[in-house]
């Protein structure tokens, strides 16, 4: 209500469109509005003209204006209210610079001068994921006695004979022999086309994503991301001031056609094709080719995050995008966080050969390479076959948990949720009836000691589905069943308040 009657300053703001420019029209509009908001030329709360009026005034397609508005909306510069229009946000995001943040800051600590990126980093963990030992908190895995025993024995053996290369600076990409083992594993398991020279051992997938952003993208480059998608990618791109273009996902994966309508020339495309995060969709083979074709046409990089594809319970895995790529544009990101355990902080990148030098430079400047000492243990664990046995046993374990747990959870959430049994991975989504707010359920469940992530905030454009992200691995059976019952109570409690 406060907003009605706000001066429509934006009506007076001159926006120009240069039709001869190589910059897309939607981007021109976006950049001008963004600048006006950051500089406070357009004050908080002022109303924007509708996309119809603005498109008529500028003589451009309505889609161009809608795309510009979508980006501003996704980045938190503007906000929409059903039926009353679009307004400059009251609380501006950190994107855009220190002047803005200094004005918005309320405590003295945040008045210190940071870099523009520093202000953006301040916000990264504001809505971060809860990691703890309560079901269904993510990031938990099962590790059984044979794995612990093998790990212990290898560690003791390695500790007795410290290799000389461990005493100095090691290889920027990780020990050559370790990279050989990783390359063999990726060729055999994931049909990744690579040699050890292309493998970079990282501190988890997240460092791989960070290096890829540093090496491949400039600020304000447009990049397709999945909608809904992985928050750590969304925020990493935003922290680098990249323009994220949310592209919807259906049951066959990223909707390439919609992506092309929204932004035909992305600089990069970030995807989780083996097991889309969070929906669980497996990208079909047709869609994989369609995506690679679109990337070729746009000369875009593809960053393939293959975070938990080892655990397939039904059907054969599809080849990785990297394995299908004929034009060396896919950067493959892998991790041992799921298949082994996250505390190991080990992942890997596979990059095209001609990018190796750039990645070496970026790696030198970030951490000078991974810790070789503890990779000796991992290397032996993988080379001697303990790794594949671990995967086999865990796949079996997770599959039998699912068999019992999914029907139990389904009946606990009846009739408020729909759950499809996942054929892959370590988590799934329980979709809620649309009249039930997933954030409210998550808050209610937390009061009962149960951790679930609402999926609606994973849609940057808003208007996403209501659902709960359920991680079922790393908890014992009784705990899972009790938590399912409590989650059912939480949903019923929220439904009864309506
Ligand atoms: C989509 C996705 N990518 C990657 C990861 C793993 O990240 P990291 O290897 O940094 O632990 C996760 C973990 O939850 C994930 O959900």
């Amino acid at each position: 209500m406060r907003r009605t009657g706000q001066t429509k300053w934006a009506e007076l703001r001159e926006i120009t469109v240069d039709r001869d420019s190589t910059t897309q029209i939607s981007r021109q509009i976006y950049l001008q509005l963004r600048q006006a908001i950051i500089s406070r030329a357009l004050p908080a709360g002022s109303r924007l003209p509708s996309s119809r009026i603005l498109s008529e005034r500028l003589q451009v397609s309505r889609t161009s204006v809608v795309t510009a508005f979508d980006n501003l909306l996704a980045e938190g510069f503007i906000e929409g209210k059903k039926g009353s229009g679009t307004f400059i946000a009251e609380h501006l995001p950190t994107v855009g610079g220190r002047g803005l943040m200094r004005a918005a800051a309320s405590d003295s600590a945040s008045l210190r001068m940071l870099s523009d990126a520093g202000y953006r980093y301040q916000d990264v963990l504001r809505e971060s994921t809860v990691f703890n030992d309560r079901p269904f908190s993510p990031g938990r895995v099962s590790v059984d006695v044979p794995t612990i025993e093998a790990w212990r024995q290898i560690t003791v053996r390695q500790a007795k004979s410290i290799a000389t290369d461990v005493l100095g600076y090691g290889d920027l990409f990780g020990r050559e022999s370790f990279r050989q083992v990783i390359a063999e594993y990726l060729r055999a398991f994931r049909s990744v086309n690579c040699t050890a020279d292309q493998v970079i051992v990282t501190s988890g997938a997240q460092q791989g994503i960070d290096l890829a952003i540093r090496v491949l993208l400039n600020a304000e480059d447009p990049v397709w991301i999945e909608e809904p998608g992985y928050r750590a990618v969304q925020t990493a791109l935003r922290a680098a001031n990249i323009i994220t273009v949310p592209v919807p996902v259906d049951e066959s994966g990223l909707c390439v056609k919609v992506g092309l309508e929204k932004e035909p020339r992305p600089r990069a495309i970030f995807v989780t094709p083996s097991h889309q995060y969070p929906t669980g969709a497996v990208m079909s083979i047709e869609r994989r080719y369609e995506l690679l074709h679109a990337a070729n046409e746009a000369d875009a990089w593809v960053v393939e995050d293959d975070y938990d594809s080892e655990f397939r319970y039904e059907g054969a895995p599809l080849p990785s995008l990297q394995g299908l790529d004929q034009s060396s544009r896919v950067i493959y990101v892998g991790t041992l966080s799921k298949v082994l355990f996250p505390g190991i902080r080990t992942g890997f990148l596979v990059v095209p050969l001609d990018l190796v030098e750039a990645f070496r430079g970026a790696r030198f400047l970030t951490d000078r390479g991974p810790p070789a000492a503890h990779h000796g243990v991992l290397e032996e664990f993988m080379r001697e076959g303990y790794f594949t046995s671990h995967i086999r046993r865990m796949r079996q374990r997770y599959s039998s948990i699912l068999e019992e747990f999914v029907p139990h959870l389904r009946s606990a959430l009846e009739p408020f949720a729909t759950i499809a049994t996942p054929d892959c991975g370590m988590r799934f989504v329980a979709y809620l009836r649309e009249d039930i707010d997933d954030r409210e359920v998550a808050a209610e469940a937390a009061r009962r000691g149960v951790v679930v992530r609402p999926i609606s905030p994973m849609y940057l454009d808003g208007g996403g589905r209501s659902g709960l992200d359920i991680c079922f691995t790393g908890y014992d059976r009784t705990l899972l069943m009790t938590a399912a019952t409590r989650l059912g109570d939480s949903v019923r409690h929220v439904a009864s308040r309506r």
Side-chain angles (χ1 to χ4, degrees), residues 138-139 203-207 209 230 272 277 305 307 334-338 342 345-347 427 453:
S203 172
Q206 198 59 37
Q207 190 187 26
I209 289 162
Y230 184 42
T272 49
Y277 185 88
D305 178 0
Y307 63 107
T335 179
L336 298 181
S337 289
K338 301 287 175 189
R345 295 314 301 141
T346 303
R427 35 156 302 281
R453 275 190 289 189

Side-chain angles (χ1 to χ4, degrees), residues 140-143 147 185 189 306-311 334-342 344 346 348 378 381-382 386-392 394-395 398 426:
R140 305 274 306 178
V141 298
S142 290
V143 176
T147 291
Y185 155 65
F189 242 110
D306 200 10
Y307 63 107
D308 73 351
S309 61
E310 290 84 354
F311 296 121
T335 179
L336 298 181
S337 289
K338 301 287 175 189
V339 71
L340 261 180
F341 45 93
I344 205 168
T346 303
F348 29 85
L378 246 180
F381 186 82
M382 290 177 87
Y386 298 108
F387 184 55
T388 41
S389 323
H390 173 80
I391 294 176
R392 228 181 3 255
M394 290 311 116
R395 188 187 289 147
Y398 296 160
M426 301 164 75

Side-chain angles (χ1 to χ4, degrees), residues 272-290:
T272 49
S274 310
H275 189 218
Q276 202 274 330
Y277 185 88
T279 66
V282 177
M283 189 182 280
S284 66
I285 195 80
E286 296 77 19
R287 204 57 80 72
R288 285 171 198 243
Y289 281 116
E290 193 184 352

Side-chain angles (χ1 to χ4, degrees), residues 40-324:
R40 298 279 194 197
L42 291 179
S46 52
R47 185 193 197 125
L48 285 175
S50 73
S51 55
R52 186 182 54 76
I53 290 179
L54 196 54
S55 62
E56 280 168 15
R57 193 180 303 155
L58 299 176
Q59 298 279 295
V60 299
S61 78
R62 183 130 176 231
T63 319
S64 298
V65 179
V66 170
T67 306
F69 280 16
D70 278 354
N71 279 324
L72 293 165
L73 207 61
E75 293 181 352
F77 284 108
I78 62 176
E79 48 200 25
K81 281 262 174 218
K82 257 197 186 129
S84 57
T86 308
F87 300 84
I88 310 297
E90 292 290 341
H91 301 288
L92 295 179
T94 44
V95 180
R98 68 192 75 128
L100 181 68
M101 282 314 296
R102 284 170 65 78
S106 57
D107 60 297
S108 59
S110 44
L111 287 170
R112 292 175 188 277
M113 291 290 272
L114 304 184
S115 69
D116 289 353
Y119 290 104
R120 295 194 286 272
Y121 289 133
Q122 279 190 151
D123 272 355
V124 167
L125 295 179
R126 210 156 273 170
E127 268 193 68
S128 71
T129 298
V130 180
F131 290 107
N132 61 27
D133 57 2
R134 301 216 171 138
F136 310 103
S137 164
R140 305 274 306 178
V141 298
S142 290
V143 176
D144 61 3
V145 173
T147 291
I148 292 170
E149 190 48 30
W151 195 268
R152 196 186 60 76
Q153 283 176 13
I154 299 171
T155 308
V156 170
R157 195 159 50 244
Q158 296 259 342
K160 284 186 185 150
S161 57
I162 291 186
T164 46
D165 67 339
V166 165
L167 300 176
Y169 285 111
D171 189 303
L172 281 168
F173 283 178
R175 279 171 149 189
E176 159 86 20
S177 52
F178 184 36
R179 286 187 283 115
Q180 294 277 8
V181 176
I182 292 172
E184 279 165 28
Y185 155 65
L186 291 176
R187 285 195 299 262
F189 242 110
R190 300 297 309 126
S191 51
V192 171
N193 216 338
C194 67
T195 62
D197 295 342
Q198 294 169 263
V199 173
I200 306 172
V201 180
T202 58
S203 172
Q206 198 59 37
Q207 190 187 26
I209 289 162
D210 178 68
L211 285 171
I213 292 172
R214 284 168 196 268
V215 172
L216 307 175
L217 297 171
N218 284 315
E220 307 208 332
D221 275 346
V223 165
W224 289 5
I225 53 167
E226 295 169 323
E227 171 84 337
Y230 184 42
R231 209 173 178 89
V233 162
Q234 297 167 350
T235 44
L237 288 165
R238 294 228 172 133
N241 217 0
I242 307 271
I243 298 176
T244 50
V245 181
V247 178
V249 169
D250 65 15
E251 62 288 351
S252 304
L254 190 87
C255 298
V256 176
K257 289 192 179 65
V258 181
L260 289 170
E261 279 161 25
K262 290 186 99 174
E263 172 55 73
R265 298 203 69 78
R267 284 303 307 128
I269 303 172
F270 281 68
V271 272
T272 49
S274 310
H275 189 218
Q276 202 274 330
Y277 185 88
T279 66
V282 177
M283 189 182 280
S284 66
I285 195 80
E286 296 77 19
R287 204 57 80 72
R288 285 171 198 243
Y289 281 116
E290 193 184 352
L291 184 136
L292 289 172
H293 179 72
N296 269 342
E297 294 288 298
D299 197 15
W301 300 108
V302 177
V303 179
E304 172 177 26
D305 178 0
D306 200 10
Y307 63 107
D308 73 351
S309 61
E310 290 84 354
F311 296 121
R312 274 207 77 76
Y313 312 117
E314 251 175 59
L318 290 170
S320 62
L321 277 176
Q322 198 275 0
L324 299 173

